Amino acid sequence: MLTLVATLLLIDGVRAVELLWLALLLASASIATVAPPAHRVAQLGRMAEVLITAFAASTLNSDAGVLLVYLPVPIIGAALSDGRRIAGLFLGAAAALLAVGGAVEGVLNERAYLVSAVQWLLIAGIGAFQAGILQRVLARRPDDTPQPYAEATRLLTQLRSVARQLPGATLDPGGLAEHLLDEVRAMVPAVRGAVLSGSGGGRLVVLAQAGVERLDWETALDTESAVADAWATQQPVTSARSQARSVAGRRDLTSLVVPLIAGVRTVGLIVLESDSAGAYPPSLISRVTAITGPAALRLEAALLFDEVRSLATTEERQRLAREIHDGVAQELVMVGYGIDNAVAALPDATAAEEELRILRAEVTRVITELRLSLFELRSEVDRYGGLTAAIADYARTVGASAGLRVHLSLDESTARLPAAVEAELLRIAQEAITNARKHAGAENLWVTCAVDPPFAQVEISDDGSGIGENRPDGRYGLAIMAERAERIRGRLEITPRVPNGTTVAVVLGTAPRAR
């Protein structure tokens, strides 16, 4: 900007007085630029720039407009470095000096001088104001250093405090969905009902349902249904046909689908059905929506907490797998190599060699167990593969390691169970397969998976020795499976297999009827 001013001043020829003002302006600008921005010396340099520019403009009345082009530079610089208050003082000093200098020089009444002075004072003031806003925005911007962990710690701490204050201290999506469904059905007539939530992939999952029998609710969002319409429009939708495929075609029926909206986001739907026409007038719909507003917020909190818990559990399992692999597993491998070297160095010591061979076999067994444990820790339900694929992959790996013949029977629909339910079912299946491998002495393993949400059944059978009364081994694993089944409101069934062996089955929901 200083170069531009010098060019404009000197374009009509070189005059000594103009050179003097340019030299003074250059000196003050150098001081303001070289000194640290917030230092007192820099402030004095910017003040000198303002005073020199204003005084020079009042003395060079014919070239006042050219010199005033530079006036916004020190004032905006003051706003960025020292704040808008200092910039305001500079602006006031410039206005006073322009007025006093213009009066002394007798140019205060000249239109060209007044227009130039007012114009550049306004430009400098507006620029300083905008610079102050920019300065505050930059001050609020987080540092370049990553802050996600600090923010996560703050939010998780708040979540822990809030969770402890909740009624019943529960953040279980299924339990909240069941409570909501019971509350709504107590107010309005509904023979059947369900609470659905989003799961990604254009489908919903059934969190809770009520009715005389299990129903296959319409969960796809790409179909022409009241479920899809309510999800898309975020408005209650009534229909004269059922939203359950197994009830399709029945007449004199009314279904109501009400979206559960938290803020601006749809977190789920509540579906109600009555076996009479016109069962849901606007007055009843208003009563339902009055309940679903607060319930949607509770459900969203539960779903978010469930997702955070799942992420934390997955991360912890991966951490344990890494520690075992890099620690105990590697050390056992080195022990095995040492035993091999000892056996090679004792060709004549028959007794010692036999003991070492037994020890080597035991080390090999422990290493195999560790590797299978690592595989189990790292096994997760893939977002695209589904529950049956994860169970089948684990059964094949364990079967190949233990010499078991694995027989698979897999039947999975395109609909998905909630992610937390899939994870628990996978862990139950892993524990049952591990028990069959370690304790049963079996030769065959039968794995049957049937998933048609909200129904699911996972059955693991073997032809081993079974679980006798004098067999305490595996009891802890059975207790863990029972706890996992109870957590997802499933039924764990352990029965003898004919003619020999054991069958472990976990059942969720009611089996679908034949179509």
Side-chain angles (χ1 to χ4, degrees):
M1 187 63 73
L2 190 60
T3 303
L4 174 63
V5 171
T7 303
L8 294 174
L9 281 174
L10 303 178
I11 197 168
D12 293 331
V14 179
R15 287 180 289 181
V17 63
E18 293 174 348
L19 290 177
L20 176 61
W21 289 121
L22 283 174
L24 292 174
L25 197 57
L26 177 61
S28 59
S30 299
I31 294 173
T33 304
V34 173
H39 197 273
R40 177 67 64 181
V41 174
Q43 292 180 359
L44 292 174
R46 284 188 286 273
M47 187 64 182
E49 288 181 286
V50 172
L51 297 178
I52 293 170
T53 302
F55 190 71
S58 63
T59 57
L60 301 174
N61 54 2
S62 60
D63 294 320
V66 174
L67 274 169
L68 289 174
V69 170
Y70 190 75
L71 184 62
V73 174
I75 295 177
I76 294 175
L80 289 172
S81 300
D82 310 315
R84 283 190 294 180
R85 187 178 66 85
I86 300 297
L89 292 176
F90 284 5
L91 187 64
L97 193 54
L98 283 169
V100 172
V104 171
E105 296 293 331
V107 295
L108 191 59
N109 295 326
E110 293 184 7
R111 184 175 182 277
Y113 179 79
L114 283 175
V115 169
S116 294
V118 173
Q119 169 184 297
W120 288 106
L121 284 171
L122 286 174
I123 293 174
I126 294 172
F129 179 76
Q130 295 294 334
I133 294 176
L134 176 63
Q135 183 69 9
R136 291 207 307 272
V137 171
L138 292 175
R140 289 197 298 265
R141 178 177 290 180
D143 298 336
D144 292 337
T145 54
Q147 300 295 327
Y149 284 102
E151 182 68 9
T153 300
R154 183 182 68 82
L155 293 175
L156 289 172
T157 302
Q158 292 178 355
L159 178 61
R160 180 181 60 186
S161 301
V162 171
R164 288 174 176 174
Q165 299 171 10
L166 291 174
T170 178
L171 278 173
D172 174 40
L176 289 175
E178 287 181 351
H179 177 74
L180 171 61
L181 195 54
D182 292 341
E183 186 178 6
V184 172
R185 293 183 72 210
M187 292 177 51
V188 299
V191 177
R192 296 169 294 276
V195 176
L196 315 177
S197 74
S199 65
R203 284 190 171 273
L204 305 176
V205 297
V206 180
L207 291 180
Q209 66 170 346
V212 294
E213 56 187 27
R214 182 260 179 196
L215 295 176
D216 49 346
W217 295 99
E218 180 59 66
T219 59
L221 295 176
D222 56 355
T223 59
E224 294 184 2
S225 64
V227 167
D229 291 344
W231 185 274
T233 63
Q234 295 190 329
Q235 296 293 326
V237 176
T238 57
S239 175
R241 69 182 185 88
S242 176
Q243 303 308 302
R245 293 187 291 269
S246 55
V247 192
R250 185 181 298 179
R251 297 182 179 180
D252 295 332
L253 181 150
T254 308
S255 62
L256 170 64
V257 184
V258 179
L260 302 173
I261 302 172
V264 296
R265 197 169 75 92
T266 304
V267 298
L269 302 171
I270 181 167
V271 184
L272 303 171
E273 292 191 351
S274 174
D275 288 337
S276 60
Y280 301 111
S283 59
L284 279 182
I285 295 177
S286 298
R287 295 176 64 184
V288 174
T289 55
I291 295 176
T292 57
L297 187 59
R298 293 194 297 268
L299 183 61
E300 183 183 40
L303 291 171
L304 288 174
F305 182 78
D306 204 45
E307 184 177 355
V308 170
R309 181 171 56 188
S310 176
L311 290 172
T313 302
T314 300
E315 176 62 26
E316 182 65 11
R317 294 178 71 89
Q318 295 296 332
R319 184 189 67 80
L320 287 173
R322 288 192 299 269
E323 288 189 359
I324 294 174
H325 177 270
D326 297 336
V328 179
Q330 298 295 338
E331 292 175 2
L332 280 174
V333 169
M334 295 305 298
V335 170
Y337 290 155
I339 294 173
D340 290 338
N341 294 333
V343 170
L346 294 172
D348 300 326
T350 305
E353 181 179 355
E354 182 61 26
E355 291 294 330
L356 287 173
R357 291 190 186 280
I358 295 173
L359 182 59
R360 181 62 173 99
E362 184 64 17
V363 170
T364 301
R365 185 190 66 80
V366 172
I367 292 174
T368 301
E369 292 287 340
L370 271 177
R371 286 173 175 166
L372 289 174
S373 297
L374 290 174
F375 180 72
E376 179 178 343
L377 283 171
R378 288 172 172 163
S379 297
E380 298 293 337
V381 179
D382 184 70
R383 180 178 179 183
Y384 303 100
L387 174 64
T388 59
I391 294 177
D393 186 37
Y394 184 78
R396 291 191 191 98
T397 301
V398 172
S401 174
L404 289 170
R405 288 189 296 272
V406 178
H407 311 270
L408 298 173
S409 177
L410 310 176
D411 182 13
E412 185 172 18
S413 70
T414 55
R416 296 289 293 270
L417 293 163
V421 174
E422 290 185 336
E424 295 291 0
L425 288 174
L426 173 61
R427 301 306 171 205
I428 292 173
Q430 287 177 334
E431 184 65 33
I433 293 171
T434 299
N435 284 343
R437 176 183 64 84
K438 295 174 65 175
H439 307 305
E443 296 181 356
N444 291 275
L445 186 69
W446 291 269
V447 178
T448 303
C449 299
V451 179
D452 188 8
F455 168 78
Q457 180 174 358
V458 178
E459 184 177 287
I460 310 297
S461 297
D462 65 76
D463 58 354
S465 57
I467 301 178
E469 294 296 328
N470 58 347
R471 287 248 339 259
D473 52 358
R475 293 292 179 183
Y476 181 65
L478 297 180
I480 291 177
M481 286 191 289
E483 290 175 2
R484 292 187 182 277
E486 183 179 358
R487 196 176 302 156
I488 58 176
R489 296 179 299 281
R491 304 185 307 278
L492 183 68
E493 302 170 354
I494 302 175
T495 57
R497 178 183 175 275
V498 180
N500 59 295
T502 305
T503 296
V504 177
V506 58
V507 182
L508 191 67
T510 307
R513 297 177 300 175
R515 299 177 188 171

